[in-house]
Structures are given as C-alpha cells and as structure tokens.
Amino acid sequence: MDYFLQQLINGVTLGAIYGLVAIGYTMVYGIIGMINFAHGEIYMIGAFIAVISFLVLGLIGITWVPLAVVIVLILTMLFTAVYGWAVERLAYRPLRGSFRLAPLISAIGMSIFLQNYVQLVQGARVKPLPPVMSDVIVLMDRAGGFRVSVSDLQLLILALTVTLMIGFTQVIARTSLGRAQRACEQDMKMASLLGIDVDRTISLTFVMGAALAGVAGVMVTMYYGVIDFYIGFLAGIKAFTAAVLGGIGSLPGAMLGGLLIGLIEAFWSAYFSVEYKDVATFVILVLVLIFRPTGLLGRPDLEKV
Amino acid sequence: MDRAAGDPMLTMTGVHTFYGAIEALKGIDLTVATGEIVTLIGANGAGKSTLLMTLCGAPQARYGRIVFEGEDITRLPTCQIVRRGIAQSPEGRRIFPRMTVLENLQLGAITAPASYAEELERVFLLFPRLKERSAQRGGTLSGGEQQMLAIGRALMSRPRLLLLDEPSLGLAPLVIRQIFQVIRDINRDHGMTVFMVEQNAHRALRLAHRAYVMVNGLITLTGTGAGLLANPEVRAAYLEGGH
Ligand SMILES: Nc1ncnc2c1ncn2[C@@H]1O[C@H](COP(=O)(O)OP(=O)(O)O)[C@@H](O)[C@H]1O
Ligand SMILES: [Mg+2]
C-alpha cells in the first residue's frame, strides 16, 4: 500500500510533465491537422535553457530559490516561445497548402536539425544541474513499511501544472484569442472571412504550446538533474502518445492522457521492469492507434477542414 | 468616411478568377452604390459564389481591379478586406458547429469589439430566435436558424457592405419571407448596402434595386430589379417554371 502510494505520487508528477508537452501536440494538430514532430525538441531546448539560466543566475548571485525558479521559468517560456514561433514560420508555413506529407517531412527534418544544433553548441555530454529544491515531506513512515514522501519539487510541479492547465483552458474557452483558435480549428476559411488573421492565430498556437513545453523542460531538468540533447525524442513520443490516448485535438484529452502515461510508466517501472518502461508507452500507442484511434475523449467525427 | 447614397461603394473592373487552370470569372465589371440592394442571379455553376469570394480575396483575382470605398483591395489578404468593412454570409452558411450561437456571434464581432454589445442587441432584435437559442451549439440549429445566424454573425462586424450568398437556399417559404424582410429592413432602416447572390430570382429581383445576370463567368445582363423581372429573356431562363 505504501509502495503503491509512492508510485502514485511519482506517476502523477511524471504525468503532469507529459501532459504539458501533450497540449502542444494536440493544439497544433487541432488547428492545422499536423503532428509537430519538432515539439519534443522544443521541450529539450527548454531543459537546456533552464540549465543555462540557473547557472547564469548562480553566477550573478541570484540564489534565493523561489526567485531563481520564477526567473528561469519566465526566461525559458520566452525563449521556447520564440523557438516555437520560428519553427512554424520556417518549416511549416511555407508548406501550407502543399501535399499532406510535406509538412510532416519538414517536421522530422526540423527535429533532427534542432537536436544536432543543440549537440553542436552544447556538446553531446550529459549536462547536470545541482539540486535546486531538495526538501522532502515524509507522509508515511511506519516501521517495516515503505517510506512514502513527496518532495517540494513534486508539489511545485503539480501546482504549476494545474495552474497552467486551468489558465490555459480559460484562455481557450473565454478569450477572443481562444475563440479565434477554435474557429480556425473548425473552419479556417470562415475564420478568415470574419477578419481573423489565420496565420497569426496559428503562430500563437505554436507559441503557446512551445511555452508550455518549455515549462515542462524546466521541471524535468529540476526533477532528474541531468539532461542531454536527446531527451526530446523519448519525451516527445510519450507526450504524443498521451495526446493520442486522450484523443488528439482534445485539450482535456491531452491532460488526461499525460496523467495516464505518467502513471503507467511509474507503475510499470515499479512492478515489472525499469528497463522496459519505455516499451509500455509504445505498446499503448500502437494499441490505441489500432483499436481506438480517436482516443478516450476524442470525437469520433474528427472532421478536418 | 461619410458617403452619400448613390456614390459607388464597390467597383469590379475586368476581374478574372481561376481555380488552377479553370477560369471561373472571365472579366467581370460591376458596381454597387452606397445604400443599394444589388442582386446577382444565374444558374448553378455560373460563378456567383466565386465572385463573392473573390471580393473577399479568397481566391484572389488574377487580373482586374476591385475598389472598395476608393481603395484598391484586389491584393489585400482576406482578413484585411473584412476589416475594411465587408462582411459575408457565405454559401452553405458555414456556422461553427461546435460553438454556441453566442460564440458564433462573438466571432462575428472580432474586428469590432467596441460595438459588440450594441450590435448583439440589434441582431437579437432582428432575429429573436437567435436570442432564444444563444446557448445552443451552432450544429444543432435548423437550416433557417443557421441562415439567421450567418447573417447575424456578418452584421456583428458592423459592415458597410453585406454580401449574402443564397440566403434562401433550402429554406421553407415562410422562413425565406422572414429573412428577406430582414434584408429589406437593414437596408431601409440602417442604410446597409447589400450585394446578394440568389437562385430564387423572383424574390431577389423584387427586393433588389438593381440586378446582374451571370452566365458562365460573365455578366450578360444588367438593369433594375423591376426591369429584369419584366425582361422576356430573364423570364424564360430564370423565372418561368419552378418559382
Ligand atoms: N474550389 C474550387 N475548385 C475548383 N473549381 C471550383 C471551385 N469552386 C467552384 N469551382 C468551379 O467554378 C465554377 C463556378 O462555381 P461557383 O462560383 O460555385 O458557381 P455558383 O455559385 O454560381 O453556383 C464552377 O464550374 C465550379 O465547378
Ligand atoms: Mg454558389
């Protein structure tokens, strides 16, 4: 029971991170019907920006943790937003209206380019980040039992994710930008007939998704303490699986899918085998694509315009 | 920008539009004056919808010039044209099916947020049915209600030129009468200039001040609504039998 509880806490933490990345996949798919394969790299870049920012803040003497974390989050979101914007501008917009496979190939190319770019400028070796937050709250510690604890960092990850997801959902549901995004999703031509700048709306969708992936990058860096230029690949596939599992195109679906993937990964590692934890995700991806391609919360009538 | 009734608001000169290699508009000349209701009639496939969409830059004219209120809008992107004061209720209505009636109307006002409340009240006054249905999803409305919503949504941007593509298509006679009444009212009471494509030639010609007849991508006839109603050629081609 205690062991189970601990895995639950770990799984939810992981799920929060995957969920944030999954939102970017699902929103971009919703609006332009394309899988942005470079999205995992944006998350990886977010992780690198986090490491660099923490280092620089340490050098200039900003060591008060809450302040440092806030600054790093803001910096990372800004930078990843710019990267997301640039990726759309360079790799996808010029191909809008061409055959369906073209942007997909371009996306894969972009992904390889970003990986190599980071490898080139940052080196291929693993980058460590000394623990920024290391306090642990022990929840349960019975004699002979398993110690159940939650770290400050885990609480921060959960609180931040929940806040961002609520904020994000509100933006989509209530603001004029969110309405414009949904309008583009349902009928791009009509959206432009109403005076909506479709290109700008698509850009902003990439920017928003990238900023969320940036936050996930910061959190994963703090959580695991090591990153390399390759982390975007696996995390990208997992988050993509989360988006597909939840129902690609669906915002609550991405959150739910992220949570489920995080839980499955945590429990799989805990009860079966750590070595094969990534296989679990791939198995799910294949099964969902075969048996329920619309996912858990996806519409069966996923019409694309 | 105060314009007196009768000034040309919209001018198309020698406009050609292509879909790939297919030439859908083959040199269109027409004008719409401030305060008019102008209708464009013609058989299915003549190019009427293409003409309205070309006015909005989607697709853009390949040759020719479109001038709106003195400004050349031929090469402007669609969203910029709409911001100049042209709104369209397009063919097939294109209501956002998974958004509520209210959200559809809010989207209509996206270029004119300042006058949103005022316009919403006016649209609800014109179409009380939309007020009753405001929380319902667009996709669940009847055809007539969708047409009301499409027109209402276009009006939300406070256009000076309203483009309507077959507002009567597929609707019951009673609903058609209601919608044409609204078109007449917004033109008479609010001075809205209306350019309307119709297959229901009889009603359209009775409502319109002036009309154009289109065949195969070209304007073949023009005159007053009453004049074309009496024209034997028009009667034979568009009025007798059916309507
Ligand atoms: N998106 C399109 N792609 C290719 N051809 C089109 C397209 N839309 C219309 N057409 C063609 O252009 C011509 C004019 O069509 P349209 O403007 O819809 O006529 P109308 O509205 O008068 O019925 C038709 O021959 C039609 O087949
Ligand atoms: Mg048509």
Side-chain angles (χ1 to χ4, degrees), chain A residues 61-278:
Chain A
I62 299 178
T63 49
W64 189 50
V65 172
L67 180 64
V69 170
V70 168
I71 294 177
V72 168
L73 278 170
I74 291 172
L75 280 177
T76 309
M77 286 172 85
L78 284 177
F79 274 101
T80 50
V82 171
Y83 272 98
W85 178 83
V87 164
E88 192 274 332
R89 211 46 206 264
L90 296 174
Y92 306 145
R93 189 180 297 182
L95 296 173
R96 199 120 72 227
S98 67
F99 67 107
R100 239 182 123 67
L101 221 50
L104 209 67
I105 296 167
S106 183
I108 293 170
M110 199 66 199
S111 163
I112 295 171
F113 168 76
L114 289 174
Q115 269 184 35
N116 285 292
Y117 156 71
V118 172
Q119 185 184 4
L120 201 68
V121 296
Q122 294 294 324
R125 258 180 304 166
V126 172
K127 289 251 175 308
L129 178 75
V132 180
M133 297 169 70
S134 47
D135 285 355
V136 167
I137 302 161
V138 175
L139 299 176
M140 227 196 272
D141 197 3
R142 285 179 293 128
F146 189 81
R147 201 175 79 147
V148 182
S149 64
V150 58
S151 67
D152 274 8
L153 182 56
Q154 284 178 316
L155 291 177
L156 172 71
I157 290 175
L158 288 180
L160 197 56
T161 304
V162 169
T163 310
L164 282 173
M165 285 180 174
I166 291 174
F168 202 72
T169 309
Q170 292 300 313
V171 167
I172 302 294
R174 308 221 182 288
T175 66
S176 130
L177 170 64
R179 272 194 295 275
Q181 285 175 309
R182 284 181 290 144
C184 288
E185 200 176 310
Q186 294 178 29
D187 186 343
M188 219 173 256
K189 190 158 186 177
M190 189 62 227
S192 68
L193 277 181
L194 293 176
I196 293 171
D197 188 335
V198 172
D199 281 339
R200 183 173 156 270
T201 308
I202 293 174
S203 275
L204 285 172
T205 305
F206 274 82
V207 162
M208 290 161 87
L212 292 184
V215 173
V218 175
M219 298 193 306
V220 88
T221 307
M222 293 171 69
Y223 195 52
Y224 287 128
V226 287
I227 57 165
D228 62 43
F229 72 95
Y230 206 59
I231 59 167
F233 176 72
L234 259 187
I237 288 190
K238 286 178 189 167
F240 170 62
T241 305
V244 172
L245 175 62
I248 192 129
S250 153
L251 197 56
M255 302 174 191
L256 176 67
L259 186 64
L260 288 175
I261 294 290
L263 287 171
I264 289 165
E265 189 175 320
F267 283 111
W268 187 285
S269 321
Y271 291 104
F272 299 106
S273 94
V274 187
E275 290 83 46
Y276 289 108
K277 71 179 165 102
D278 298 332

Side-chain angles (χ1 to χ4, degrees), chain B residues 19 22 24 43-50 91 166:
Chain B
Y19 295 109
I22 303 164
N44 211 352
K48 306 181 297 297
S49 299
T50 303
E91 178 162 49
E166 306 212 33

